[in-house]
């Protein structure tokens, strides 16, 4: 009889820890994401820190491979490539062409400002040469698509952030990851070459060969892949599994090709994703499968568990100017000054951002994550390959600084929404004008949102009209709240038990349906009935226009006013 051996090597322990965390988090994922509004990436990072070498010492990636930087860079490379491909695929038809003004503003003046502001903060905090600060600042200039997806795809974003704003932030996070190369190499070339030669080399080697060539490769590859896949699907050659995984396999193919020829693989994948779904066909056919959301969750959690195990906590000492207080100051200043002020000052020049509230959200949620880690390791690699780089101590401090900033970004952005909503009940507020429903000007009726699901095919971000079954077409003139329709006639006991409602908002062909339930003490009764006539009726406040006939029961004005006054719900 053979002896029983318990294997405790890390290569056997890691799959169990990784799979166990993801499985048990999945068991309570609805509570974590839709009630607590906690970020999965934050929990994954904390878990990685706990099992890492500085706490429980169960996992230490430096024991797996002699050069940990190689593993970190390749892990981040493929995570970014898949994420930017997903970002490109999920954007609406011909999005980059339709929103070129907004994309150009975010990628050129705003990203440049983010780079310069971050570099200035690093220079004055750590007292390093400005060129060194420019190189480190280039690492944190891009917004991260992995963390951006975690923020923009959550329940909070779907309920509170317009689809138009989510799309432009997705496009920005996908595009600017690849555009980190020009900022990084601008500083690196100036370190080791005379200024004139450095600018010339920077132009043709970075902008032409890396950026322009990768864009051409991505556009052509996406076009050919789209035509080939459509032909194969029409001919009945491709099965469902291969069809759905085609965008991911295309990303892996492009990473391999671009790595071989030395061009920008990340930017190439984003352009390829846009080209692949330029006519919206693949996005429409694949959006209801949930594959992209599942893959995004697995990648983000796996990477940030890994990231939690590689944070170099021992590097933060006064011996290498990385004093803890300097690290804290940098994190706070970068979070507050890197992006937010510029977005607030220039949002009127960005068509996709229409209000200061949207500018505030877009300015605050510019996360720093996987891409920053990728560029920090690329910086070290370039310095090691060029002995005359004059990099000084930048090779020693860039990685710890970037890890600290990424840690701060994951922490700050991961707890922002829970802190904002702490102590409050999340509500879906339906604004109904008194002139057409309650005859009580300025009153609003509040409900609890029980569940929401998105369906439909067209991911259009227009703000045109809504179609309310049983009532008709509602044009949202001032984006006011939409009145509910009652899914079933209320009975005598509804005032005690609460009535069930539904609202259905159609933006283009994209329908969002929410089931809404009144609280038992909301005072709903079947006594006050409102009927919308066949003729079109517009309320005095210009919030909506109603056509066709329909009906529904609402609380009487005295009942609603009494309940609202008692609760303080009147806004």
């Amino acid at each position: 009889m053979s002896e029983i051996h318990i294997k405790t090597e890390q290569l056997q322990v890691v799959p169990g820890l990784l799979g166990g965390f993801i499985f048990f988090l999945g068991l309570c994922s609805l509570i974590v994401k839709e009630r607590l509004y906690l970020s999965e990436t934050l929990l994954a990072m904390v878990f990685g820190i706990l099992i890492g070498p500085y706490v429980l010492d169960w996992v230490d990636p430096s024991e797996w491979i002699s050069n940990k930087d190689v593993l970190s860079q390749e892990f981040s490379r493929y995570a970014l490539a898949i994420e930017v491909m997903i970002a490109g695929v999920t954007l609406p038809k011909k999005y980059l062409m339709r929103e070129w003004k907004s994309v150009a503003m975010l990628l050129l003046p705003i990203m440049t400002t983010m780079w310069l502001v971050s570099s200035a903060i690093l220079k004055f905090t750590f007292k390093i040469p400005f060129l060194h600060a420019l190189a480190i600042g280039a690492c944190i200039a891009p917004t991260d698509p992995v963390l951006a997806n975690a923020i923009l795809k959550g329940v909070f974003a779907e309920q509170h952030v317009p689809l138009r704003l989510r799309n432009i932030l997705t496009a920005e996070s996908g595009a600017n990851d690849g555009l980190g190369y020009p900022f990084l190499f601008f500083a690196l070339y100036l370190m080791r070459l005379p200024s004139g030669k450095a600018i010339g080399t920077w132009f043709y080697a970075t902008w032409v060969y890396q950026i322009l060539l990768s864009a051409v490769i991505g556009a052509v590859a996406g076009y050919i892949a789209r035509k080939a896949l459509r032909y194969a699907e029409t001919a009945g050659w491709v099965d469902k599994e291969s069809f759905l995984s085609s965008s991911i396999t295309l990303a892996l193919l492009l990473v391999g090709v671009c790595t071989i020829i030395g061009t920008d693989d990340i930017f190439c994948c984003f352009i390829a994703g846009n080209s692949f779904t330029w006519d919206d066909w693949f996005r429409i056919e694949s959006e209801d499968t949930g594959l992209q959301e599942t893959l995004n969750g697995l990648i983000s959690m796996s990477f940030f568990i890994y990231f939690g195990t590689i944070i170099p906590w021992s590097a933060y000492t006064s011996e290498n100017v990385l004093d803890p207080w300097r690290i804290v100051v940098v994190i706070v200043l970068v979070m507050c000054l890197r992006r937010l002020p510029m977005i607030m000052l220039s949002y009127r020049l960005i068509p996709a951002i229409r209000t200061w509230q949207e500018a505030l959200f877009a300015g605050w949620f510019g996360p720093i994550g996987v891409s920053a880690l990728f560029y920090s390791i690329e910086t070290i690699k370039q310095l090691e390959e060029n002995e005359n780089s004059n990099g000084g101590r930048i090779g020693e401090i860039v990685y710890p600084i970037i890890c600290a900033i990424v840690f701060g970004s994951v922490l700050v952005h991961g707890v922002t929404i829970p802190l904002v909503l702490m102590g409050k009940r999340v509500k879906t507020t339906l604004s109904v004008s008194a002139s057409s429903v309650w005859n009580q000007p300025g009153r609003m009726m509040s409900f609890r949102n029980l569940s929401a699901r998105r369906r439909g095919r067209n991911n259009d971000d227009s703000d045109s009209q809504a179609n309310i079954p049983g009532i008709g077409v509602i044009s949202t003139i001032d984006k006011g709240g939409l009145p509910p329709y009652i899914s079933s006639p209320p009975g005598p006991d509804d005032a005690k038990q609460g009535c069930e409602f539904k609202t259905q908002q159609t933006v283009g062909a994209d329908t969002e349906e929410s089931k809404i339930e009144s609280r038992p003490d909301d005072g709903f009764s079947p006594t006050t009935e409102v009927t919308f006539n066949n003729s079109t009726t517009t309320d005095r406040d210009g919030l909506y226009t109603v056509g066709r006939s329909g009906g529904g029961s609402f609380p009487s004005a005295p009942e609603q006013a009494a309940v609202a006054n008692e609760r303080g719900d009147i806004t």
Side-chain angles (χ1 to χ4, degrees):
M1 181 176 179
S2 60
E3 297 181 1
I4 297 176
H5 296 284
I6 298 177
K7 299 180 179 180
T8 58
E9 291 82 1
Q10 291 197 23
L11 290 180
Q12 284 78 42
V13 172
V14 169
L17 293 173
L18 177 64
F21 174 81
I22 296 176
F23 175 78
F24 287 108
L25 181 62
L27 295 180
C28 56
S29 57
L30 192 66
I31 297 175
V32 170
K33 292 188 289 187
E34 297 191 14
R35 296 184 186 177
L36 301 177
Y37 292 96
L38 288 174
S39 168
E40 290 180 332
T41 54
L42 172 60
L43 298 178
M45 184 184 71
V46 171
F47 180 73
I49 294 172
L50 290 176
I51 65 175
Y54 292 94
V55 184
L56 297 177
D57 196 20
W58 291 350
V59 176
D60 186 359
S62 62
E63 297 183 5
W64 309 346
I65 187 171
S66 58
N67 190 348
K68 183 179 61 177
D69 289 347
V70 174
L71 175 61
S72 299
Q73 187 174 33
E74 294 308 310
F75 193 175
S76 58
R77 183 194 304 277
Y78 283 96
L80 286 172
I82 294 174
E83 289 292 340
V84 298
M85 174 64 75
I86 292 176
V89 166
T90 56
L91 291 174
K93 180 180 180 180
K94 300 180 180 179
Y95 185 81
L96 292 183
M97 184 174 68
R98 291 193 295 111
E99 294 290 345
W100 69 269
K101 291 183 180 179
S102 298
V103 173
M105 276 294 298
L106 291 169
L107 295 184
L108 297 176
I110 291 180
M111 187 177 177
T112 302
T113 303
M114 292 163 60
W115 172 46
L116 295 176
V117 170
S118 301
S119 301
I121 293 172
L122 292 165
K123 171 181 170 49
F124 291 110
T125 304
F126 294 108
K127 301 185 184 304
I128 57 178
F130 190 57
L131 280 179
H132 296 181
L134 286 176
I136 302 176
C139 300
I140 59 176
T143 56
D144 188 69
V146 179
L147 290 177
N149 275 334
I151 295 170
L152 298 176
K153 301 298 182 182
V155 175
F156 179 87
E158 291 181 358
Q159 292 178 351
H160 299 282
V161 183
L163 180 61
R164 160 181 41 80
L165 184 59
R166 281 182 274 147
N167 282 338
I168 191 61
L169 294 180
T170 298
E172 180 199 14
S173 66
N176 67 11
D177 266 30
L179 294 179
Y181 275 108
F183 298 106
L184 175 61
F185 280 94
F186 179 82
L188 294 179
Y189 285 144
L190 285 176
M191 287 181 194
R192 65 173 183 256
L193 298 174
S195 57
K197 186 177 181 180
I199 297 299
T201 304
W202 175 68
F203 179 77
Y204 74 78
T206 303
W207 282 107
V208 176
Y209 189 77
Q210 287 192 327
I211 302 302
L212 183 59
L213 179 60
S214 65
V216 172
I217 294 174
V220 173
Y223 174 82
I224 294 175
R226 167 162 48 92
K227 293 296 183 180
L229 183 64
R230 187 146 197 175
Y231 180 84
E233 198 271 341
T234 303
W237 294 352
V238 60
D239 61 12
K240 180 179 179 181
E241 291 77 13
S242 300
F243 178 87
L244 295 176
S245 63
S246 56
S247 62
I248 307 304
T249 54
L250 177 61
L252 299 178
L253 169 64
L254 292 176
V255 169
V257 172
C258 291
T259 302
I260 292 171
I261 65 177
T263 190
D264 190 342
D265 47 359
I266 308 301
F267 191 61
C268 180
C269 287
F270 176 71
I271 297 298
N274 278 272
S275 178
F276 192 52
T277 56
W278 193 251
D279 60 357
D280 244 3
W281 171 70
F282 180 79
R283 185 189 63 79
I284 290 172
E285 294 297 323
S286 62
E287 68 178 352
D288 291 335
T289 62
L291 174 64
Q292 294 169 356
E293 292 80 0
T294 302
L295 190 61
N296 173 63
L298 291 174
I299 291 175
S300 61
M301 284 190 286
S302 300
F303 184 87
F304 281 97
I305 290 175
Y306 172 76
F307 172 72
T309 65
I310 62 173
I311 300 176
W313 298 105
S314 60
Y316 305 114
T317 63
S318 58
E319 297 178 359
N320 52 4
V321 306
L322 300 181
D323 308 76
W325 72 265
R326 295 180 192 270
I327 295 295
V328 174
V329 168
V330 164
I331 292 174
V332 172
L333 292 180
V334 167
M335 294 297 108
C336 296
L337 302 180
R338 160 180 166 266
R339 176 180 174 87
L340 182 59
M342 186 60 181
I343 293 286
M344 295 298 294
L345 290 174
S346 61
Y347 78 90
R348 296 183 186 278
L349 302 177
I350 307 174
I353 302 177
R354 299 179 183 175
T355 66
W356 70 265
Q357 293 93 336
E358 294 179 1
L360 182 63
F361 179 87
W364 179 250
F365 286 102
I368 303 168
V370 182
S371 58
L373 190 66
F374 173 82
Y375 282 117
S376 69
I377 300 175
E378 181 66 23
T379 302
I380 298 173
K381 178 182 175 182
Q382 292 295 324
L383 293 174
E384 291 175 349
E385 292 178 354
N386 298 274
E387 296 180 356
N388 60 338
S389 59
N390 299 316
R393 299 186 62 187
I394 185 175
E396 301 175 8
I397 65 175
V398 58
Y399 180 75
I401 291 175
I402 295 304
C403 284
I405 296 176
V406 171
F407 170 81
S409 179
V410 175
L411 178 63
V412 170
H413 293 123
V415 301
T416 296
I417 294 175
L419 288 178
V420 169
L421 298 178
M422 185 177 294
K424 297 181 181 179
R425 182 172 59 248
V426 180
K427 302 176 182 180
T428 298
T429 303
L430 304 177
S431 175
V432 182
S433 172
S435 59
S436 58
V437 180
W438 299 339
N439 197 25
Q440 292 281 331
R443 305 230 182 239
M444 299 180 72
M445 184 164 50
S446 299
F447 300 93
R448 247 179 324 142
N449 187 10
L450 298 183
S451 64
R453 61 183 176 88
R454 298 196 65 80
R455 68 186 182 191
R457 295 295 187 185
N458 187 9
N459 192 15
D460 199 343
D461 51 2
S462 59
D463 298 319
S464 54
Q465 60 180 212
N467 186 9
I468 305 299
I471 294 181
V473 176
I474 291 181
S475 299
T476 55
I477 299 173
D478 284 337
K479 303 178 187 176
L482 302 179
Y485 72 90
I486 296 181
S487 58
S488 59
D493 295 329
D494 285 339
K496 297 179 180 180
Q497 299 177 358
C499 305
E500 186 177 62
F501 293 77
K502 288 183 180 179
T503 63
Q504 193 174 68
Q505 180 175 355
T506 301
V507 181
D510 190 11
T511 304
E512 182 174 10
E513 181 174 295
S514 301
K515 183 184 291 184
I516 302 165
E517 184 183 71
S518 69
R519 294 185 293 268
D521 54 342
D522 266 338
F524 278 88
S525 70
T527 58
T528 305
E529 182 168 301
V530 179
T531 302
F532 299 97
N533 298 321
N534 289 324
S535 59
T536 298
T537 303
T538 305
D539 75 311
R540 295 177 186 172
D541 295 329
L543 294 178
Y544 47 82
T545 303
V546 182
R548 289 181 56 190
S549 62
S553 295
F554 294 89
S556 62
E559 290 173 326
Q560 176 62 25
V563 173
N565 279 321
E566 181 180 354
R567 284 214 176 107
D569 285 346
I570 296 179
T571 59

